């Protein structure tokens, strides 16, 4: 599985840093929704779902956290620790967010409004959905 990270351009000067993100330019889709997570409690794992069509870019604008990506065949863990890096998550990827530092703020740009019918919240259903899409044989990998 290819992990796609965007490195955003900071506009730095003696006063500090500023990052500007525009849809279709820095973010590869129309931004219909922005949300963020903060004050995440120790030991919490968020996510546990995939989306049928939603695309997202995750930016840990403060602190650190880890994102586990799973395409049904393999898993990858990505550490987000810089406010200038964005992790792209395509549709049909199971994701879990965890190991949030107490000061972590995880900002998410989403290509769609929130729509419960776009969620796949059951892992077995996610595997079946991907299998149906790809027609390929699935190997289930534990851990990652
Ligand atoms: P949840 O889906 O549990 O977040 P995650 O999967 O990232 O851990 O969402 C937590 C709550 O926030 C839940 O009540 C739904 C609400 N919510 C919205 O109202 N709009 C949104 O865009 C999102 C992502 C969540």
């Amino acid at each position: 599985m290819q992990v796609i990270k965007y490195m955003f351009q900071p506009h730095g000067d003696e006063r500090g840093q500023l990052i500007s993100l525009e849809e279709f330019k820095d973010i590869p889709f129309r931004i219909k929704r922005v949300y963020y997570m903060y004050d995440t409690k120790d030991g919490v794992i968020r996510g546990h779902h995939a989306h049928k069509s939603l695309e997202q870019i995750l930016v840990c604008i403060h602190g650190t956290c880890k994102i586990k990506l799973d395409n049904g065949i393999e898993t990858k863990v990505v550490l987000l620790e810089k406010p200038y890096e964005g992790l792209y998550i395509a549709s049909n990827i199971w994701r879990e967010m965890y190991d949030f530092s107490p000061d972590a703020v995880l900002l998410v740009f989403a290509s769609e409004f929130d729509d419960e019918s776009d969620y796949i919240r059951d892992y077995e259903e996610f595997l079946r959905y991907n299998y149906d899409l790809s027609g390929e044989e699935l190997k289930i990998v534990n851990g990652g």
Side-chain angles (χ1 to χ4, degrees):
M1 176 181 19
Q2 195 183 26
V3 172
I4 301 175
K5 260 191 186 178
Y6 283 72
M7 291 301 187
F8 304 126
Q9 178 66 56
H11 301 280
D13 58 27
E14 64 285 353
R15 297 170 297 171
Q17 304 294 331
L18 184 154
I19 290 180
S20 165
L21 302 175
E22 296 184 11
E23 59 186 9
F24 296 132
K25 191 171 144 207
D26 311 285
I27 302 290
F29 48 75
R30 167 138 292 155
I31 301 163
K32 283 200 180 165
R33 180 166 51 107
V34 175
Y35 62 94
Y36 46 95
M37 285 154 257
Y38 63 96
D39 197 20
T40 307
K41 305 303 178 206
D42 196 32
V44 162
I45 305 177
R46 301 201 66 124
H48 288 117
H49 62 254
H51 286 279
K52 293 174 188 166
S53 59
L54 184 78
E55 299 170 82
Q56 294 180 316
I57 294 242
L58 278 58
V59 186
C60 195
I61 54 171
H62 196 259
T64 63
C65 67
K66 288 183 186 150
I67 317 293
K68 183 168 154 189
L69 303 174
D70 178 345
N71 65 359
I73 297 169
E74 58 174 333
T75 62
K76 288 261 169 78
V77 172
V78 180
L79 173 67
L80 289 181
E81 55 180 349
K82 303 288 183 197
Y84 52 78
E85 63 184 13
L87 173 66
Y88 174 73
I89 307 185
S91 55
N92 294 310
I93 301 287
W94 189 267
R95 84 286 313 273
E96 292 171 14
M97 296 85 92
Y98 61 103
D99 268 4
F100 287 83
S101 62
D103 58 349
V105 181
L106 181 62
L107 178 66
V108 181
F109 297 95
S111 65
E112 301 293 340
F113 300 125
D114 198 29
D115 173 9
E116 190 54 39
S117 70
D118 191 61
Y119 283 79
I120 306 174
R121 296 190 183 275
D122 178 77
Y123 189 73
E124 297 301 320
E125 187 191 336
F126 160 70
L127 292 178
R128 278 196 304 274
Y129 186 79
N130 266 8
Y131 178 81
D132 289 346
L133 281 185
S134 69
E136 289 170 14
E137 203 170 319
L138 279 183
K139 185 176 81 174
I140 300 171
V141 179
N142 292 317

